[in-house]
Amino acid sequence: MIELKDSDALIVVDVQNDFLPGGALAVPNGDQVVPVLNGYIERFVRAKKLSPLPIFATRDWHPPNHCSFQSQGGPWPPHCISGTFGAQFSPDLKLPKETRVISKATDPNREAYSGFDGTDLEQQLRQLGSQRLFIGGLATDYCVLNTVRDACCLGFEVFLLRDAVRAVNLHPSDEQKALDEMQRLGVRFITLHDLT
Ligand code: VGL
Ligand code: ZN
């Protein structure tokens, strides 16, 4: 069992309409993470008496001419264009009003899969005194992996929400490769049942 403490933070990665069924870059079964993430959110909200423990939500927030789009020679269909419906968080994701939103990959000429890349996420976490990061969302083999990798490199203790991640699996083994790398980095895999 894991007991949450004041130096913990939750990071919900890219649970946006374009990554959900019917979206421009739908992650297979991506919608299944939403109710589970709501469970984690509830625990982080309730863990502290006055204000919730810190909850971050990252979002892919691309300009219409982003370099990752096929029209610009990149690998992906256009997705998560800032201000569009596809870039909005899932309407079923119950983010509290205190949620800190981190927008990334906003520069047309740079890809940024990690929530730390080109953002002030690390600075905010340091300011809060966060030490353990609980990370889940979409997609296991891209933005979750890169966010987890950076978090480990920056010295945070990382918990992967194993029941609240799904992979794109452009190649069928991508999910397993991502999980193997996270395991090698010393990440602990947990499920909602592990939280008291
Ligand atoms: C992502 C592909 C392209 C992700 C973002 O959030 O994992 N994947 N842009
Ligand atoms: Zn993207």
Side-chain angles (χ1 to χ4, degrees), residues 18-151:
D18 270 343
F19 295 128
L20 299 174
L25 182 37
V27 177
N29 302 312
D31 53 331
Q32 293 175 359
V33 304
V34 174
V36 187
L37 286 168
N38 285 338
Y40 285 103
I41 290 167
E42 195 179 286
R43 278 164 178 75
F44 272 72
V45 167
R46 283 210 307 236
K48 214 171 174 182
K49 265 137 230 118
L50 292 173
S51 55
L53 290 177
I55 297 174
F56 290 83
T58 69
R59 62 184 184 186
D60 222 20
W61 200 245
H62 296 313
N65 60 341
H66 191 254
C67 61
S68 76
F69 296 171
Q70 282 153 358
S71 59
Q72 314 294 313
W76 306 116
H79 63 278
C80 297
I81 295 173
S82 58
T84 65
F85 171 79
Q88 287 173 24
F89 295 122
S90 163
D92 299 322
L93 185 67
K94 296 181 180 136
L95 292 170
K97 61 179 189 312
E98 296 86 352
T99 302
R100 297 153 184 266
V101 175
I102 302 289
S103 302
K104 64 180 170 59
T106 59
D107 180 340
N109 301 312
R110 270 193 81 237
E111 180 57 294
Y113 288 131
S114 165
F116 290 95
D117 192 347
T119 73
D120 67 348
L121 176 57
E122 182 192 3
Q123 192 196 321
Q124 290 197 48
L125 290 166
R126 300 287 184 214
Q127 196 132 28
L128 289 160
S130 303
Q131 295 178 343
R132 303 195 304 181
L133 305 184
F134 293 73
I135 301 177
L138 305 171
T140 314
D141 39 356
Y142 291 94
C143 287
V144 172
L145 172 63
N146 283 270
T147 302
V148 164
R149 189 192 284 138
D150 282 352

